[in-house]
């Protein structure tokens, strides 16, 4: 009986502990939810947006002072600051895109599968809002096919309209995304304008953004100029792990995969151009380091040469040559072929002509049997060769007999 009472008391203590833990967990969840809601737009994202805006202004003040006569350290600092700021803007845009998507999926969950670009998604969400009929909305800059899919899915969606607070937060987040996109365009314009002082030829071949990433990743324009092309090819490359039994081997390229000329190619040609781009990028970096062509004309000419190579690779193979039949010979026995005479012709006729011995072996005398090397008429005969009393008209050399 005592054992049962102890067991009951132990079970009651366990239940009380479970209840306390459940209440503490619920309170922690509520705190986390409240913290997330407070950090949603009021503190975290707004503070990050203001930091990025101030960095953009500082970058503009740094870029306006940059000229061709500046030392390489100032140019490198500007490139690093621009690259870091672009990465920070992309990260902030991605975070805001996730926030917009998580909030707006209650209203239109199918939209994220139709429109996957963050900037375009934010523009569409800001235009639609809580509207159900998409045909009423003007100013949706979408392709006709995508607009038709969005209209159909919006009319059959299972989502519900958002509350006023959620809709206001979503619209504010969309405004932040669009403002960050405009800031990114300003930074890219400034970087493009100042890269003609830093690396005009490299920017002409691989683009402004990729050139800045290469310079920052390697450690400066001088380091890029002395880096082998096989290593430049792998700068920024991330090896993709094969899934399952896949053993497909792809040509690994780093930041050079982001170039416009590489993205426009089909997969069969990317391996060919993957060996040309790093070589030309290193040559362009060396040209920019020595100030060989500050105008960037060499880089533009090299880019045209690469495009001509691509066009030549895309040409169809030449057609197989057809076997032409020989012409029908003209048999005209009446006219003999003219031969060239002269000392050379006479020497050739004397060298390859038939001898007197062969002429005698080819002749036979009527009524007189010819001798053969097997005898009794077997084997090859000797003709009239060696027969006595036969008169053969032939010219013999004159001899001087001495008695």
């Amino acid at each position: 009986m005592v054992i049962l009472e102890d067991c009951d008391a132990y079970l009651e203590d366990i239940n009380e502990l479970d209840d306390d833990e459940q209440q503490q967990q619920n309170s922690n969840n509520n705190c986390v939810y409240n913290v997330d809601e407070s950090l949603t737009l009021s503190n975290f994202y707004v503070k990050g947006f203001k930091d990025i805006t101030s960095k953009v202004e500082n970058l503009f003040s740094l870029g306006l002072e940059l000229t061709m006569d500046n030392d390489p350290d100032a140019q490198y600092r500007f490139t690093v600051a621009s690259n870091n700021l672009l990465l920070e803007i992309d990260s902030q845009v991605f975070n805001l895109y996730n926030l917009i998507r998580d909030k707006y999926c209650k209203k239109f969950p199918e939209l994220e599968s139709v429109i996957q670009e963050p900037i375009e998604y934010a523009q569409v969400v800001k235009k639609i809002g809580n509207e159900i009929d998409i045909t009423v909305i003007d100013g949706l800059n979408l392709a006709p096919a995508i607009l038709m899919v969005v209209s159909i899915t919006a009319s059959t969606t299972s989502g519900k309209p958002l509350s006023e607070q959620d809709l206001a937060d979503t619209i504010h987040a969309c405004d932040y995304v669009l403002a960050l996109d405009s800031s990114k365009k300003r930074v890219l314009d400034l970087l493009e304008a100042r890269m003609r002082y830093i690396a005009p030829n490299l920017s002409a071949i691989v683009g402004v953004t990729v050139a800045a990433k290469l310079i920052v990743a390697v450690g400066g324009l001088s380091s890029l100029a002395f880096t082998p092309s096989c290593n430049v090819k792998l700068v920024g490359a991330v090896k993709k792990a094969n899934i399952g039994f896949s053993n497909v081997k792809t040509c690994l390229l780093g930041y050079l995969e982001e170039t416009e000329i590489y993205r426009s190619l089909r997969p069969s040609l990317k391996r060919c151009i993957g060996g040309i781009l790093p070589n030309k990028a290193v040559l362009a970096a060396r040209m920019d380091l020595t100030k060989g062509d500050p105008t960037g004309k060499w880089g533009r000419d090299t880019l045209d040469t690469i495009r001509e190579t691509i066009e030549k690779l895309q040409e169809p193979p030449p057609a197989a040559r057809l076997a032409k039949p020989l012409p029908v010979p003209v048999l005209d026995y009446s006219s003999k072929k003219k031969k060239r005479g002269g000392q050379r012709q006479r020497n050739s006729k004397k060298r390859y002509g038939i001898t007197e011995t062969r002429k005698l072996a080819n002749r036979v005398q009527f009524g007189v049997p010819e001798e053969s090397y097997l005898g009794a008429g077997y084997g090859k005969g000797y003709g009239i060769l060696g027969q006595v009393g036969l008169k053969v008209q032939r010219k013999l050399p004159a001899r001087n007999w001495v008695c």
Side-chain angles (χ1 to χ4, degrees):
M1 191 67 182
V2 175
I3 295 174
L4 291 177
E5 289 178 356
D6 292 339
C7 291
D8 293 338
Y10 180 69
L11 291 175
E12 288 177 0
D13 293 338
I14 290 177
N15 292 330
E16 289 178 359
L17 289 174
D18 292 339
D19 294 338
D20 294 339
E21 289 178 358
Q22 187 69 26
Q23 291 176 2
Q24 186 177 1
Q25 186 176 1
N26 292 334
S27 62
N28 291 334
N29 291 337
N30 292 331
C31 292
V32 171
Y33 181 78
N34 293 332
V35 169
D36 288 341
E37 285 294 319
S38 64
L39 291 178
T40 297
L41 283 173
S42 60
N43 295 329
F44 183 72
Y45 292 109
V46 175
K47 183 179 179 181
F49 176 75
K50 291 181 179 179
D51 292 341
I52 290 175
T53 306
S54 62
K55 289 179 181 179
V56 169
E57 299 300 331
N58 295 333
L59 183 66
F60 265 82
S61 62
L62 180 63
L64 293 176
E65 299 175 357
L66 187 66
T67 59
M68 190 180 297
D69 299 331
N70 287 118
D71 57 341
D73 293 336
Q75 297 175 355
Y76 180 69
R77 286 197 302 269
F78 171 76
T79 308
V80 171
S82 303
N83 191 30
N84 293 336
L85 186 55
L86 290 174
L87 293 176
E88 189 174 353
I89 290 174
D90 290 339
S91 177
Q92 189 75 3
V93 167
F94 183 73
N95 293 333
L96 287 170
Y97 166 69
N98 290 334
L99 173 65
I100 297 170
R101 185 185 59 186
D102 293 341
K103 283 185 172 296
Y104 202 71
C105 67
K106 302 175 184 178
K107 165 67 174 60
F108 199 171
E110 297 86 3
L111 184 62
E112 60 179 333
S113 61
V114 179
I115 301 175
Q116 299 178 355
E117 286 293 329
I119 307 300
E120 192 175 2
Y121 186 85
Q123 291 175 350
V124 173
V125 169
K126 184 178 178 181
K127 289 287 184 180
I128 295 177
N130 274 336
E131 190 66 38
I132 298 176
D133 190 4
I134 306 298
T135 58
V136 181
I137 303 172
D138 297 332
L140 286 176
N141 297 324
L142 297 175
I146 298 178
L147 183 60
M148 183 177 63
V149 173
V150 170
S151 301
I152 295 173
T153 52
S155 60
T156 59
T157 184
S158 60
K160 297 180 180 180
L162 299 177
S163 62
E164 294 182 358
Q165 184 63 33
D166 291 341
L167 182 61
D169 291 343
T170 305
I171 298 299
H172 287 315
C174 294
D175 293 335
Y176 288 141
V177 168
L178 298 179
L180 288 173
D181 183 57
S182 63
S183 299
K184 182 180 179 180
K185 291 179 180 178
R186 288 183 62 196
V187 173
L188 287 176
D189 293 339
L190 177 64
L191 186 61
E192 183 177 1
R194 292 298 177 263
M195 280 298 284
R196 64 187 181 92
Y197 298 138
I198 304 172
N201 296 286
L202 182 62
S203 302
I205 295 176
V206 301
V208 177
T209 308
V210 178
K213 289 182 178 180
L214 287 175
I215 292 173
V216 173
V218 175
L221 186 61
S222 59
S223 300
L224 181 62
F226 292 104
T227 303
S229 60
C230 57
N231 295 342
V232 174
K233 179 180 179 180
L234 300 176
V235 173
V238 178
K239 190 174 182 180
K240 299 178 181 178
N242 294 329
I243 300 175
F245 296 98
S246 176
N247 56 357
V248 178
K249 296 182 180 179
T250 58
C251 182
L252 285 179
L253 282 182
Y255 295 129
L256 294 177
E257 287 185 352
E258 302 175 11
T259 56
E260 182 181 358
I261 192 171
Y262 186 84
R263 286 183 174 181
S264 61
L265 295 177
R266 61 173 184 261
S268 60
L269 295 177
K270 287 184 177 181
R271 184 176 293 274
C272 300
I273 302 302
I276 298 176
L277 274 179
N279 297 333
K280 300 302 180 183
V282 172
L283 292 177
R286 294 172 183 174
M287 182 73 71
D288 295 331
L289 182 64
T290 58
K291 305 296 181 184
D293 189 4
T295 61
K297 184 178 181 301
W298 185 87
R300 292 189 293 270
D301 294 342
T302 305
L303 183 62
D304 295 337
T305 304
I306 295 174
R307 288 173 178 169
E308 291 176 0
T309 305
I310 293 173
E311 291 178 0
K312 189 176 293 184
L313 290 174
Q314 290 178 345
E315 290 179 356
R321 297 180 61 182
L322 299 177
K324 295 182 179 180
L326 296 174
V328 179
V330 179
L331 301 178
D332 188 4
Y333 299 103
S334 61
S335 62
K336 295 183 179 180
K337 186 178 180 180
K338 295 182 180 180
K339 293 184 178 180
R340 181 179 178 182
Q343 184 68 27
R344 185 180 300 174
Q345 176 65 22
R346 289 192 296 271
N347 292 337
S348 176
K349 186 176 181 181
K350 187 184 296 184
R351 186 181 300 111
Y352 298 106
I354 189 169
T355 60
E356 295 293 335
T357 304
R358 178 60 62 185
K359 287 181 181 180
L360 293 176
N362 290 338
R363 294 177 184 177
V364 292
Q365 190 176 5
F366 182 75
V368 179
E370 61 176 346
E371 297 180 1
S372 61
Y373 66 90
L374 292 179
Y378 296 103
K380 189 166 181 65
Y382 293 135
I384 62 175
L385 186 66
Q387 293 184 6
V388 182
L390 182 65
K391 295 181 179 180
V392 180
Q393 296 181 357
R394 57 180 178 176
K395 295 181 181 179
L396 297 175
R399 297 181 180 180
N400 297 324
W401 298 93
V402 180
C403 297

